[in-house]
Amino acid sequence: MSHLKNIEKKRYLFDLIDRLEKNKILEKNQLCELISNNENTELSEYLFNKARKTSKIYFGNKIYTRGLIEFTNYCKNDCYYCGIRRSNTKAERYRLTEDDILNCCEQGHELGFRTFVLQGGEDGFYTDEKICKILSDVKLNFPDCAITLSIGERSEQSYLAFAKAGADRFLLRHETADDEHYSMLHPDNLKLENRKNCLFTLKKLGYQVGTGFMVGSPFQSVENLADDLLFIHKLQPAMIGIGPFIPHKDTPFSDFSQGMLSLTLFLIGMLRLIIPNANIPSTTALGTIDKQGRERGILAGANVVMPNLSPVKVRKKYMLYDNKICTGEEAAECRFCLSNRIKSIGYELTVDRGDFIALDKLKA
Ligand code: 5AD
Ligand code: FES
């Protein structure tokens, strides 16, 4: 490519970022163009600068913390990428009792957590009644805290019952917004349409909804990623969680390679411009593929961290992917470590529920 053409191309790409910031979305081919250039460091620095400035408008230098409680690793599903899939007979299964969960919350509350994320596989043992009981007891004991559920697909009726019992938020990654790609990551009984319906139902019921996807999952194309961004723009979630795909040795995807750090960071930056006030975590998966991954996620536009509050005795059993970090540390150690990491890049952890506030309400 001639020098002049290079300059033109560069101007075009930078201009696309300006337009993404202004319009909060682009045409699919333009999204693809940007995504394909994620390894261009000048371009990514330009994006991250804008993303950081946008985060600062809404959150200053504050980073919200969510205490993650992985309360069951039983799962009736068989997603090809996931270490706790039903067919992984090597996974040692566990369930936390309600007392275990309340103990985690108590520890977490002392450490300054004001959001608890109850996450688990799709485990039929926890009937709606059981989940509702846990929710109302957590709310009763910690009335100043928000509760986020992350327990997969259930009926509208169940989601409504959970909301009534005290759930404020719900995380359900769409994983990929393309039907065909979805069917390459999941067995036939799991359908993208159901997942999308769940997300819109949760939104309708008044939940702060989180979605997201894995970066670099097997068979993923640049077009798939552009579709993920378009889907997120359409759903307008309150939270967006993305992280690199990391193979797990006892899954059908054991031989695939992990997602790229640069691409994950670039997408975090783009997402910050697409939904400027969204809560975007710098994920454990990001910290697993790079020692400074979580810090770099924040510097690319993320504003949330989700340290683990699960009892250390079960942590190694919630292995969604190989080499997951923080599986040997106590909650207090993680909190301390993260707080230092975040200070080292000029931010600070905050004791705050960190609710999502829609832009029109912010202006009002
Ligand atoms: N690598 C990275 N992320 C994974 N998840 C599940 N398995 C993996 C993996 N092998 C993510 C999924 C799920 C979330 C809880 O963890 O996106 O929604
Ligand atoms: Fe868990 Fe650093 S966050 S040890």
Side-chain angles (χ1 to χ4, degrees), residues 81-82 119 173 175 214 244-246 320-321:
Y81 46 84
C82 186
Q119 185 174 84
R173 289 189 179 178
E175 312 295 359
M214 287 176 292
F245 160 75
I246 304 171
L320 305 182
Y321 45 80

Side-chain angles (χ1 to χ4, degrees), residues 64-162:
Y64 296 123
T65 56
R66 322 297 195 197
L68 184 60
I69 302 169
E70 298 156 336
F71 69 94
T72 170
N73 73 348
Y74 281 84
C75 191
K76 69 171 161 44
N77 290 337
D78 222 6
C79 309
Y80 303 140
Y81 46 84
C82 186
I84 63 167
R85 63 199 301 267
R86 181 184 66 215
S87 298
N88 182 11
T89 50
K90 292 196 180 152
E92 233 186 281
R93 306 290 168 170
Y94 74 89
R95 292 185 176 111
L96 296 187
T97 63
E98 185 180 320
D99 272 356
D100 292 332
I101 296 174
L102 287 169
N103 280 335
C104 293
C105 294
E106 177 138 18
Q107 265 196 39
H109 196 266
E110 273 167 31
L111 291 168
F113 291 97
R114 294 298 177 266
T115 294
F116 301 120
V117 181
L118 302 180
Q119 185 174 84
E122 293 202 13
D123 181 359
F125 172 85
Y126 295 92
T127 56
D128 288 0
E129 293 68 31
K130 284 202 178 92
I131 294 285
C132 286
K133 170 91 170 48
I134 294 169
L135 289 167
S136 47
D137 286 345
V138 172
K139 264 282 137 103
L140 194 66
N141 285 280
F142 308 96
D144 58 342
C145 294
I147 310 180
T148 306
L149 270 184
S150 180
I151 56 170
E153 298 178 14
R154 297 229 178 173
S155 68
E156 173 161 358
Q157 201 189 341
S158 307
Y159 288 152
L160 179 63
F162 302 154

Side-chain angles (χ1 to χ4, degrees), residues 37-282:
N37 284 280
N38 73 84
E39 282 177 284
N40 175 335
T41 41
E42 248 186 289
L43 187 71
S44 60
E45 274 316 312
Y46 186 72
L47 170 65
F48 297 159
N49 233 314
K50 280 193 184 297
R52 278 199 297 270
K53 277 193 185 144
T54 305
S55 289
K56 290 239 157 104
I57 295 175
Y58 299 100
F59 316 110
N61 73 336
K62 301 275 191 285
I63 300 295
Y64 296 123
T65 56
R66 322 297 195 197
L68 184 60
I69 302 169
E70 298 156 336
F71 69 94
T72 170
N73 73 348
Y74 281 84
C75 191
K76 69 171 161 44
N77 290 337
D78 222 6
C79 309
Y80 303 140
Y81 46 84
C82 186
I84 63 167
R85 63 199 301 267
R86 181 184 66 215
S87 298
N88 182 11
T89 50
K90 292 196 180 152
E92 233 186 281
R93 306 290 168 170
Y94 74 89
R95 292 185 176 111
L96 296 187
T97 63
E98 185 180 320
D99 272 356
D100 292 332
I101 296 174
L102 287 169
N103 280 335
C104 293
C105 294
E106 177 138 18
Q107 265 196 39
H109 196 266
E110 273 167 31
L111 291 168
F113 291 97
R114 294 298 177 266
T115 294
F116 301 120
V117 181
L118 302 180
Q119 185 174 84
E122 293 202 13
D123 181 359
F125 172 85
Y126 295 92
T127 56
D128 288 0
E129 293 68 31
K130 284 202 178 92
I131 294 285
C132 286
K133 170 91 170 48
I134 294 169
L135 289 167
S136 47
D137 286 345
V138 172
K139 264 282 137 103
L140 194 66
N141 285 280
F142 308 96
D144 58 342
C145 294
I147 310 180
T148 306
L149 270 184
S150 180
I151 56 170
E153 298 178 14
R154 297 229 178 173
S155 68
E156 173 161 358
Q157 201 189 341
S158 307
Y159 288 152
L160 179 63
F162 302 154
K164 285 188 176 153
D168 305 282
R169 309 178 188 149
F170 204 103
L171 298 178
L172 183 67
R173 289 189 179 178
H174 66 280
E175 312 295 359
T176 172
D178 180 86
D179 275 303
E180 203 181 320
H181 187 217
Y182 198 91
S183 71
M184 297 168 102
L185 303 181
H186 303 95
D188 266 355
N189 66 322
L190 294 174
K191 295 280 181 242
L192 177 60
E193 201 191 337
N194 288 344
R195 186 141 287 226
K196 287 183 171 171
N197 286 339
C198 286
L199 285 164
F200 285 103
T201 299
L202 288 160
K203 231 190 138 172
K204 184 184 77 181
L205 294 175
Y207 280 92
Q208 292 172 51
V209 173
T211 196
F213 54 90
M214 287 176 292
V215 178
S217 59
F219 317 111
Q220 184 180 61
S221 65
V222 169
E223 285 75 23
N224 291 156
L225 287 169
D227 282 331
D228 289 326
L229 300 183
L230 287 166
F231 173 70
I232 285 175
H233 177 72
K234 182 170 158 215
L235 177 69
Q236 289 289 311
M239 307 171 284
I240 312 160
I242 69 168
F245 160 75
I246 304 171
H248 185 293
K249 60 181 178 10
D250 303 314
T251 62
F253 286 167
S254 57
D255 291 336
F256 283 87
S257 47
Q258 69 184 29
M260 301 292 288
L261 176 72
S262 58
L263 179 57
T264 311
L265 296 173
F266 198 86
L267 288 160
I268 289 178
M270 290 179 79
L271 286 163
R272 171 57 66 213
L273 300 186
I274 292 172
I275 307 189
N277 56 336
N279 285 318
I280 303 180
S282 196

Side-chain angles (χ1 to χ4, degrees), residues 294 307-308 315 325-331 333-339 341:
R294 284 168 302 172
N308 206 314
R315 284 208 194 172
I325 54 167
C326 299
T327 55
E329 282 78 8
E330 292 288 346
E333 287 178 81
C334 274
R335 164 87 194 188
F336 184 70
C337 164
L338 261 182
S339 150
R341 285 168 178 271

Side-chain angles (χ1 to χ4, degrees), residues 302-350:
N303 71 315
V304 172
V305 288
M306 298 173 66
N308 206 314
L309 284 181
S310 314
V312 173
K313 66 172 197 288
V314 303
R315 284 208 194 172
K316 284 199 174 26
K317 300 180 184 163
Y318 203 82
M319 276 291 171
L320 305 182
Y321 45 80
D322 288 338
N323 307 316
K324 191 175 164 212
I325 54 167
C326 299
T327 55
E329 282 78 8
E330 292 288 346
E333 287 178 81
C334 274
R335 164 87 194 188
F336 184 70
C337 164
L338 261 182
S339 150
N340 283 337
R341 285 168 178 271
I342 277 157
K343 273 187 208 147
S344 77
I345 53 166
Y347 290 77
E348 63 180 85
L349 288 186
T350 181

